[in-house]
Amino acid sequence: LVRTGRGALVYTDFETPPSGWTSKGGNWSIVSGGYKGNALQGTDDNKNKGIGGASQYYSTTSFSSYTSLWVSTKVRLISGAGSAGIYLISSNLNRLYAIEITSAGTVQVRSYNTDVKGSWKILGSKQITNFNPSNWYVIVVSYTVGKQVSFNVYVYDTTGTQVATLQATSTRRVFKPTYIGVGVDDVTALFDDFIVSTTDPSYVTVTSLPAANYNVTVYDSSGQLVGSATSDKSGTAQINVVTDIVVGTGTDGSIKIYSGSNLVLSYTAFDNILGGDTYKYVPSVYTATFSDNAWLSNVIELFQGNLTLSFTTNTSITLYISINGVQVYNGSFTAGSYSLVVPLPSNLLGSTSTFNITLYIVSSYPFTVTVQSLGVTVFGYFSDFVEKALLVGTGTNIYFYNV
């Protein structure tokens, strides 16, 4: 089984504080009690430091070049009377769209400082069937920006049952979201399974199966079933994973293919399985995985970096490169020698000091790949390159950082 597509641009299971995220207002921390593993907990502190008096926690990756995206997260309300959900934020951090679950049992779309200047406006609201405030709910939203911003919102419970749908439109002072994350307004809430994707993250697709009626199942790393589906006459199976879009706790996971009761293939992900992934069944395939770690000491902040790789291969291969579980590169190569320079995405920088690099190699033929060099080069601030000086007459300490 070969992964041929991934729609995810940013994702996190909130097992640890995600790199490249920041907050505006509120109190945010990683806590136990997630849907699986840990969760992000956010509390609106009502100090009006966030946009619109709410509190936001968001990825600093810029999505301003996209006019259409999918976003999903799980949310569970803990206390308070208000709302929590997905926040789409403008480049200058003064306008937003919010797609939220409310303590009154509705899903709503609101805008701030957009349809009404300087104020909130509810653009649409729908009651959630059999709402229970102690339950987890999955929000999936697709948005498209043109002369207006259109939202299609779907809400599911943890059995995968759709419990609400909503369409809404923003028509005045519209903007393309630059930052995407989560937010709370007058509540404390938990979040899990966050993803921003170019494709619908509700499904994992497997193609090129030999015929119809092959059963395809997706499991998390602990062996719990996430979803299953049967292939159609074109040999395609679309597995609904809406209950666990960042499968398991964001690492490993497996896909199994059956013909009747016979196991045809068992595939274990070299990094993770995400909603929006596409895989191809290849009857004869050879694979290999190589991992290594790069450590940096005394990191204060990283703002640019590259992975460098030189290798030779004796036949045609497809190479996937992941760092800290995030795929950063994939490409196909014929027999020969190659040197790659792969820029590191901003969500892998920040204060990161350990880079776990995984090479996953796939070929239709037996292969020999020789790695000549593999490394990470970064630019940033490091405490071992700090000179301390005393500004005469003021007693103010000044620190000079050498990059």
Side-chain angles (χ1 to χ4, degrees), residues 12 45 56 59 72 84 139 212 232 253 273 285 338 372 393:
T12 176
D45 57 13
Q56 297 84 34
S59 170
S72 179
I139 304 173
D232 60 21
I273 298 173
V285 64
Y338 299 92
Q372 279 89 30

Side-chain angles (χ1 to χ4, degrees), residues 1-2 4-5 200 203-207 216 218 236-239 255 274-280:
L1 200 66
V2 179
T4 56
D200 185 354
Y203 299 92
V204 168
T205 303
V206 177
T207 66
V216 183
V218 176
T236 298
Q238 196 170 53
I239 305 97
I255 298 174
L274 303 174
D277 282 355
T278 301
Y279 297 84
K280 181 178 180 180

